[in-house]
Amino acid sequence: MLEDRVLFIDAEAIVIDKPAGLPVDPPRDSTRSLVDMMDELTFGFQRLPTAVHRLDRDTSGCLLLSRNPKAQKRFHAAFEAGQVSKRYLAILDGVPEGESGEIDLPLKKVSSAASGWRMRGDPTGKPARTRWRLLAARDGRALVAFHPETGRTHQLRVHAAEGLGIPITGDPIYGRAEAAVMLHAAAITVPRPGKPDISAEAPWPERFSDLGFSHG
């Protein structure tokens, strides 16, 4: 039940802990998406909430929804202006060099009939920047915190695979699809002039614990 996954709610916004495996928009395979379940999140409002941004199907964690068009417009503007703070957690198929850093790698969409579309690092692509910090290492894998400063499609997945040279564990496109994708939107903060910030933190994902990484 999505109502049990609400992390923040007021008259303008809802933040849910989106489960891994649930697409935000209706996918081509016609499986159920978050859009099909918005009626579970009205909480007395007649208007259905609307997703402000997107998380990949296999990414879990904090997803912001707006409850009216005016709020949707303001939240979009905050994202476009780079005012929204997001923190992701990822398990990588290796341990990066150093303790922290910034990845500045523009991204461009490429496609082919054989393999479909994907993103890749390209100097002619759109600017993309991510700060990262090593949190823990275990059994040849690393737990890393990512703080994206831009919001490009597949940004963290490509920045891990190409920027750090180590893909996210379970990534079927940029790594090896041997497990669930280990990427989790752990926290989000959205400033609102004249009102308290929207702030939420998602629970620690069980699939991270299954690989031996614990919270804190």
Side-chain angles (χ1 to χ4, degrees):
M1 296 291 290
L2 288 181
E3 62 185 23
D4 297 329
R5 304 182 73 92
V6 171
L7 306 172
F8 175 97
I9 185 170
D10 68 6
E12 290 189 334
I14 300 173
V15 180
I16 65 166
D17 176 20
K18 186 190 83 67
L22 177 66
V24 175
D25 297 313
R28 292 182 178 180
D29 63 10
S30 299
T31 55
R32 202 173 190 207
S33 68
L34 179 63
V35 167
D36 302 317
M37 305 168 70
M38 288 298 192
D39 58 340
E40 297 181 22
L41 297 170
T42 54
F43 298 103
F45 282 28
Q46 291 187 345
R47 190 187 303 274
L48 297 177
T50 303
V52 178
H53 59 121
R54 297 295 182 269
L55 294 177
D56 292 341
R57 180 177 191 150
D58 294 322
T59 301
S60 57
C62 295
L63 181 72
L64 174 65
L65 312 176
S66 65
R67 304 190 76 185
N68 63 70
K70 288 184 179 180
Q72 177 83 354
K73 186 175 180 179
R74 289 199 304 274
F75 299 157
H76 265 303
F79 271 90
E80 289 294 325
Q83 298 170 344
V84 178
S85 174
K86 293 176 287 181
R87 178 170 59 89
Y88 288 77
L89 297 172
I91 297 175
L92 307 184
D93 272 337
V95 181
E97 296 181 4
E99 297 292 322
S100 63
E102 181 175 278
I103 302 162
D104 188 349
L105 180 66
L107 299 178
K108 188 173 185 178
K109 186 176 182 179
V110 295
S111 62
S112 68
S115 57
W117 71 270
R118 60 187 291 162
M119 305 299 291
R120 71 177 184 191
D122 190 310
T124 65
K126 294 182 179 180
R129 297 177 304 279
T130 303
R131 291 179 289 112
W132 67 275
R133 182 164 61 92
L134 177 65
L135 301 178
R138 178 186 175 90
D139 298 331
R141 288 192 170 108
L143 175 66
V144 171
F146 283 124
H147 297 266
E149 296 180 1
T150 53
R152 307 302 178 197
T153 301
H154 290 185
Q155 176 172 319
L156 300 182
R157 296 165 66 178
V158 180
H159 276 185
E162 295 188 24
L164 294 179
I166 308 170
I168 293 172
T169 298
D171 191 325
I173 298 176
Y174 307 101
R176 296 174 295 174
E178 60 182 18
V181 179
M182 298 295 162
L183 181 59
H184 180 63
I188 188 170
T189 300
V190 184
R192 294 187 293 184
K195 296 182 179 182
D197 293 350
I198 298 168
S199 186
E201 185 169 344
W204 185 258
E206 288 186 10
R207 66 189 191 282
F208 279 38
S209 298
D210 292 341
L211 287 185
F213 290 94
S214 59
H215 187 256

